[in-house]
Amino acid sequence: MAVTPQPNSTFLHPTFVILTGIPGLAGAQSWLTMVFGPMFLLALLGNGALLAVLQIDPMLHQPMFLLLATLAVTDLGLSTSKAPGLLAVLWLGPQPVSHAVLVQMFIVHALTAMESGVLLAMACERAVAVGRPLHYPILITKARVGYAALALALKAVAIVVPFPLLVARFEHFRARTTGHAYCAHMAVVKLGVGNTRANNLYGLVLSLAVSGIDKLGMTGSYGLIAHAVLRRPTWEAHAKAFGTCSSHICVILAFYVPGLFSYLTHRFGHHPIPKPVHILLSNIYLLLPPALNPLIYGARTKQIRDRLLETLTFKKIQF
């Protein structure tokens, strides 16, 4: 049932929302910039360097590396849409966000959905490479990678568009201040006066259906990889195949483990889990993967590592 707005305590279409950062940590928030600041810098430099290496070396213009470039672009967008505002709130205190509230909400959630889809595509690509190597050049082509990236982007936009639309339908808001560091969907919904059942239901369905399908697809892909690897005759073959996939598994764990824990504590752990932990985990969830992804792939992928060393040392490295 809708709640009747009270003129003295609600606002009609507020022109801004004040982000207060991490509640309960007002005295220590500035120190958190020493954690999130380097993470943001690492995300910018790491993904930027990764894209530069992939661009300048024609030998890396292959489907696997094109998917990696798509992931790097997504990580750059996710970190730059989130981190500057977060650092401003942590260092300078509560900051007003104007009409860009719905825009930031859309961008953050769309890029998160995009990253999940790219990780699924990378898992499927590795499954074909390990399980069907002879069919790989036919099944996985640069054109199909481009179509897949476009489809993932359109899917992310389509499933996230209802978020700002469902929030925009609220005519009154009970407050202009939210205890969060960015314009998360549920954080803004809690400010609205009215029936929030549709917002809660859609958020739950989206998390369980879309994200759940991606996780099932990744699990199935790596199950096929494990099955194909265990059928190989030598331990050397096992180690090589698992080595090519270990970096992907590390990236998936870095993306989903903090996100899953943050989601579960947000939905089911309101009382035992302090609110600062909720907010802190949600920020780590969005900034940790963009910072770690280039390090993991740069360290685990020989072609990228060698090409980067060649660029830095101005020496020719034979692949």
Side-chain angles (χ1 to χ4, degrees), residues 26-194:
Q29 283 196 145
S30 59
W31 292 100
L32 290 175
T33 57
M34 297 183 181
V35 177
F36 292 113
M39 290 173 63
F40 178 45
L41 183 62
L42 187 60
L44 290 180
L45 295 179
N47 288 290
L50 187 60
L51 287 173
V53 169
L54 296 175
Q55 172 64 30
I56 64 179
D57 192 345
M59 295 180 63
L60 300 180
H61 296 175
Q62 302 299 322
M64 180 181 74
F65 299 110
L66 294 178
L67 285 172
L68 181 56
T70 305
L71 181 65
V73 171
T74 305
D75 284 338
L76 280 175
L78 188 59
S79 58
T80 53
S81 65
K82 170 73 173 57
L86 168 65
L87 295 176
V89 171
L90 295 179
W91 186 256
L92 302 175
Q95 297 292 311
V97 178
S98 60
H99 292 288
V101 172
L102 298 182
V103 175
Q104 188 191 54
M105 178 195 304
F106 171 78
I107 292 175
V108 169
H109 288 289
L111 289 175
T112 302
M114 178 71 180
E115 177 141 352
S116 179
V118 174
L119 291 177
L120 173 60
M122 295 175 73
C124 294
E125 184 270 340
R126 284 294 86 196
V128 175
V130 175
R132 294 289 186 272
L134 298 179
H135 297 87
Y136 183 90
I138 300 174
L139 297 177
I140 308 296
T141 64
K142 289 189 286 187
R144 288 182 178 179
V145 169
Y147 293 142
L150 178 60
L152 290 174
L154 293 176
K155 184 200 76 170
V157 170
I159 63 178
V160 175
V161 161
F163 276 159
L165 295 180
L166 287 172
V167 173
R169 67 190 176 89
F170 293 119
E171 296 183 357
H172 294 82
F173 292 79
R174 60 173 50 88
R176 291 192 177 103
T177 302
T178 177
H180 216 292
Y182 69 97
C183 298
H185 172 242
M186 292 308 301
V188 178
V189 166
K190 290 180 180 179
L191 302 180
V193 175

Side-chain angles (χ1 to χ4, degrees), residues 240-278:
K240 183 178 180 180
F242 277 124
T244 60
C245 300
S246 60
S247 58
H248 295 266
I249 295 174
C250 290
V251 168
I252 290 171
L253 292 177
F255 180 72
Y256 280 111
V257 170
L260 181 61
F261 187 75
S262 176
Y263 173 79
L264 292 177
T265 54
H266 177 77
R267 290 285 179 181
F268 308 109
H270 294 282
H271 299 293
I273 306 297
K275 187 174 182 179
V277 176
H278 292 274

